[in-house]
Amino acid sequence: MDEIEDIGSNPRVRESIEEIIARRFSRRGALLAALGTVAAVEAAAQGAGQGRGPTPMRGGPSTTSFPELRQQLAMDHAVAEDHEAHVVIRWGDPVVPDAPPFEPAQLSAEAQAMQFGYNNDFIAVLPMTPGAPIGDRALLWANHEYTNTNLMFPGLGGNPREARARVTAAQVAVEMAAHGGSLVEIERVDGRWRPVATPRLNRRITADTPMRISGPAAGHPLLRTQADPTGRAVRGTLNNCAGGTTPWGTILTCEENFNFYFGGQNPDAAQAEALRRYGIRPEGGYAWFRHVARFDMAQEPNEPNRFGWVVEIDPYDPDSVPVKRTALGRFKHEGAAHALAPDGRVVIYMGDDERFDYVYRFVTARPWNPNDRAANRDLLDEGVLSVARFEADGTMRWLPLVHGQGPLTEANGFASQADVLIHARRAADLLEATPMDRPEDVEANPATGRVYVMLTNNDRRTAAQVNAANPRPANAHGHVIELIPPGAPGRPDHAAETMRWGLFLRAGKPGQDAGAEYHRATSQDGWLSCPDNCAFDSKGRIWIATDGANTAAGIADGVWVADTMGPGRALTRLFYQAPIGAEVCGPWILPDDSALFLAIQHPGEGGDSHFEAPSTRWPDFAAGMPPRPSVIAVTKKGGGPIG
Ligand code: FEO
Ligand code: CA
Ligand code: CA
């Protein structure tokens, strides 16, 4: 969500506002000037493919064998030629039985609340019963992170900020219904995945769905509102970016840029510092606060404290109430991927996606119970949240955010563990965690136990602000860090207090972007920009999805795959490329490697692209049909493992 991204709010890192504005203006200006009509897009696309040598071999030292895709910038997507991609479900497709047909020129909140939402991000594909193998039928979960107002509704023009400010109350209701997530039963027919005709578990979660707040911060005075004097019941989830699953088969969906939905003057002066630390401002980002009282801080000063959490949803019980698990802390949550400690405790790795913010980990107090699903129901309410500090000697330490320990005391404004969790960023500041270059997915590779941290970019880090784990100033393309937990082979201790770490790759174009670093056999198509989400196949290879589309620079997002060990380590190879304006999210690989599911988010975003004149009409390419964020599945032609 580039247009309304935040500028960073960590008070430990300061830069003059003039410098920020100057840099922002020049970058945005270049992009706007270059991107406008479809003609401009095609001209840019032609430029992007020039000056190439022959396409490299089928992998060299890499264990992958597909013919590498050529980088392109086009209205359609593309996949390595011995694979095929098909759409599983699109924005507006029916989810709940009796959902009305999609009518893009006449959206209604009622219809949208029954249809697939906008901007699919995290996806998970689960078996039809917890713990069972996946056959030809499965359960697809998709987050719906945010809405591109000017691509959804006619007549709002090409400036996203202005479009967001101009929406009506009825349009806000549509946007709220397009947020949240979708649960969709899918089936494989003739090698293609599609929604089933008569689902039993399908469900829409929106910005209005009743939810419960649990864990140490539930009921805290800062979580109480006029509508909910208990501080334990909240409506909806916002800006659900990445996520995860649990060993007992629930979904973890993460609230990321929740600040943009709130506006108005907060009358509670005591909250001023906290609001600043989370980038919550009177002018807001969306217009929701002008139309819905609870998003107006002048009316509900505490409502923003009820967002920024990880939400657990049981997909197997259609009547289950989603639960905000406060023990996992409040920040701009990217994802929540799990691993297991040798003793069975569950470890959740998490990133706080903002410039100069932190990497976190949560370890449950008790092991999970594989024999009694109900025994795990509230496992995520008790445990220790920690934040990462990286040292230059190649070690890193998990610093516990526990009330009463170190500086997290009453004298510093933390009267309880609830205070620590609600103000997790400030607690982590006091522990002197390492300010990172926008932490996105943090995921353990099940094949090796090593943990990969996607750091997407940070164009505002100065030369004076670099550290060993974030070594490049003005880091426009990001990097990937590898954590190595201690433990015997096959028994990595994800709960250990200290780990070793190293750099896996530094993104950008070799020879052009200073410090870009991959395997030296990486091809001219194998470099990437802005790693965001990742997944691992059964061979332990990493599949990296990017969020760095830049039409002016001829960069489209895509999926690159690399070995993590052996002679092909960090040899990234281009496998899939998204349509123009889209980022790629939610990579999810079936356990038998027979399909890669991808969330293609915000196709057509950027520049002057809008409802009447989008830069692409992917995936339908029908007159009058706007671009539609969609979940796709990529399979090998003729079947078999991908890659
Ligand atoms: Fe929603 Fe951090 O990307
Ligand atoms: Ca993301
Ligand atoms: Ca993203």
Side-chain angles (χ1 to χ4, degrees):
M1 80 193 290
D2 200 39
E3 288 89 350
I4 54 175
E5 73 192 355
D6 229 326
I7 58 170
S9 61
N10 190 334
R12 295 170 60 204
V13 177
R14 296 194 190 281
E15 189 186 17
S16 85
I17 193 73
E18 290 78 14
E19 279 179 282
I20 292 170
I21 289 168
R23 187 164 320 126
R24 233 181 139 61
F25 188 80
S26 62
R27 188 167 74 101
R28 190 67 59 206
L31 219 130
L32 287 173
L35 176 60
T37 61
V38 165
V41 167
E42 302 218 301
Q46 281 165 11
Q50 282 168 5
R52 296 295 178 73
T55 296
M57 301 175 304
R58 294 180 78 91
S62 167
T63 64
T64 63
S65 60
F66 59 89
E68 190 172 25
L69 193 61
R70 307 293 299 271
Q71 288 209 17
Q72 63 162 33
L73 187 64
M75 286 186 272
D76 204 355
H77 65 177
V79 65
E81 68 179 25
D82 54 354
H83 291 72
E84 54 197 351
H86 62 273
V87 170
V88 178
I89 189 165
R90 302 161 295 186
W91 167 46
D93 281 341
V95 170
V96 177
D98 302 320
F102 182 53
E103 291 188 67
Q106 287 176 318
L107 301 177
S108 77
E110 295 70 26
Q112 178 64 81
M114 302 172 82
Q115 300 163 335
F116 198 66
Y118 206 84
N119 273 346
N120 31 220
D121 198 303
F122 172 71
I123 45 184
V125 181
L126 299 175
M128 291 305 296
T129 50
I134 290 182
D136 285 330
R137 201 162 169 142
L139 207 43
L140 168 73
W141 167 267
N143 281 3
H144 299 301
E145 187 185 25
Y146 70 103
T147 46
N148 287 90
T149 307
N150 59 333
L151 286 167
M152 284 182 86
F153 303 109
L156 291 174
N159 183 314
R161 261 170 222 272
E162 287 171 12
R164 273 194 296 274
R166 278 168 49 200
V167 294
T168 63
Q171 287 171 326
V172 167
V174 174
E175 290 191 296
M176 288 178 64
H179 276 64
S182 293
L183 190 62
V184 185
E185 286 183 41
I186 56 174
E187 61 185 353
R188 178 163 45 194
V189 178
D190 296 332
R192 292 185 159 224
W193 288 94
R194 66 180 191 196
V196 305
T198 52
R200 206 169 38 87
L201 296 171
N202 279 21
R203 189 171 177 187
R204 271 305 318 279
I205 303 289
T206 73
D208 248 336
T209 304
M211 306 197 171
R212 193 159 68 79
I213 301 174
S214 77
H220 189 280
L222 278 173
L223 267 54
R224 297 177 197 159
T225 63
Q226 293 166 72
D228 169 33
T230 71
R232 294 171 184 274
V234 60
R235 294 180 77 109
T237 182
L238 296 175
N239 211 270
N240 300 70
C241 187
T245 57
T246 63
W248 51 97
T250 57
I251 304 286
L252 301 177
T253 177
C254 299
E255 299 183 327
E256 195 192 39
N257 294 303
F258 64 94
N259 53 317
F260 294 118
Y261 301 85
F262 298 93
Q265 286 296 341
N266 195 312
D268 182 359
Q271 294 203 46
E273 184 193 344
L275 295 172
R276 245 195 323 277
R277 188 65 182 87
Y278 287 94
I280 300 164
R281 305 187 190 96
E283 65 271 26
Y286 283 93
W288 297 17
F289 73 97
R290 297 202 184 88
H291 300 289
V292 182
R294 68 187 169 106
F295 297 116
D296 178 3
M297 291 184 286
Q299 299 182 63
E300 283 286 16
N302 288 342
E303 189 74 2
N305 300 327
R306 293 142 63 85
F307 294 84
W309 303 104
V310 173
V311 185
E312 184 176 14
I313 298 175
D314 184 352
Y316 298 103
D317 175 5
D319 299 320
S320 64
V321 176
V323 186
K324 299 199 176 188
R325 299 288 181 192
T326 62
L328 278 65
R330 176 168 167 266
F331 44 90
K332 293 187 180 180
H333 282 279
E334 172 74 17
H338 80 264
L340 288 176
D343 61 6
R345 283 177 296 161
V346 179
V347 178
I348 310 278
Y349 287 106
M350 303 177 285
D352 181 355
D353 180 6
E354 184 138 13
R355 292 176 182 84
F356 305 108
D357 262 291
Y358 309 127
V359 172
Y360 293 82
R361 179 188 76 178
F362 178 78
V363 182
T364 57
R366 291 176 288 120
W368 82 287
N369 185 338
N371 305 312
D372 179 6
R373 188 165 187 258
N376 305 308
R377 195 177 49 209
D378 292 320
L379 203 62
L380 297 181
D381 282 345
E382 240 185 289
V384 175
L385 178 69
S386 307
V387 66
R389 185 162 66 204
F390 292 84
E391 308 293 353
D393 66 359
T395 62
M396 59 86 57
R397 180 173 297 274
W398 293 102
L399 311 166
L401 278 78
V402 175
H403 177 249
Q405 291 188 13
L408 307 183
T409 58
E410 186 122 34
N412 283 319
F414 299 100
S416 64
Q417 183 63 15
D419 283 340
V420 171
L421 297 167
I422 295 168
H423 307 299
R425 281 183 164 183
R426 194 169 80 83
D429 294 343
L430 292 179
L431 292 176
E432 300 188 0
T434 302
M436 309 297 287
D437 287 346
R438 293 188 55 198
E440 304 262 21
D441 266 5
V442 183
E443 298 214 18
N445 183 344
T448 64
R450 295 185 174 194
V451 179
Y452 293 81
V453 184
M454 308 291 119
L455 295 155
T456 199
N457 62 56
N458 183 351
D459 57 358
R460 259 187 291 287
R461 188 180 290 278
T462 66
Q465 291 168 335
V466 298
N467 57 54
N470 301 273
R472 282 192 289 182
N475 181 8
H477 300 283
H479 56 288
V480 177
I481 284 179
E482 187 178 55
L483 311 183
I484 307 173
R491 288 179 65 80
D493 186 1
H494 291 286
E497 188 185 335
T498 61
M499 296 181 180
R500 289 188 296 128
W501 70 273
L503 288 167
F504 181 68
L505 63 81
R506 303 201 291 188
K509 189 172 187 175
Q512 177 181 301
D513 299 309
E517 202 173 295
Y518 308 81
H519 189 289
R520 63 192 147 72
T522 298
S523 80
Q524 59 203 322
D525 300 299
W527 63 275
L528 57 95
S529 178
C530 305
D532 189 340
N533 302 119
C534 69
F536 301 92
D537 63 24
S538 67
K539 300 180 184 75
R541 300 183 295 208
I542 188 169
W543 297 65
I544 300 173
T546 65
D547 177 12
N550 182 332
T551 302
I555 299 173
D557 282 312
V559 176
W560 283 257
V561 55
D563 292 333
T564 54
M565 307 291 258
R569 176 179 153 90
L571 203 177
T572 45
R573 302 185 70 237
L574 177 57
F575 179 77
Y576 170 86
Q577 202 135 42
I580 186 158
E583 70 172 277
V584 184
C585 308
W588 187 273
I589 300 170
L590 293 187
D592 63 359
D593 296 341
S594 64
L596 165 68
F597 286 78
L598 299 173
I600 308 306
Q601 194 189 74
H602 60 73
E605 182 183 271
D608 184 48
S609 185
H610 56 283
F611 184 91
E612 289 82 2
S615 59
T616 178
R617 294 188 186 276
W618 186 89
D620 299 344
F621 296 107
M625 185 63 84
R628 300 170 77 178
S630 304
V631 171
I632 67 167
V634 180
T635 55
K636 185 94 187 279
K637 280 181 184 163
I642 51 165

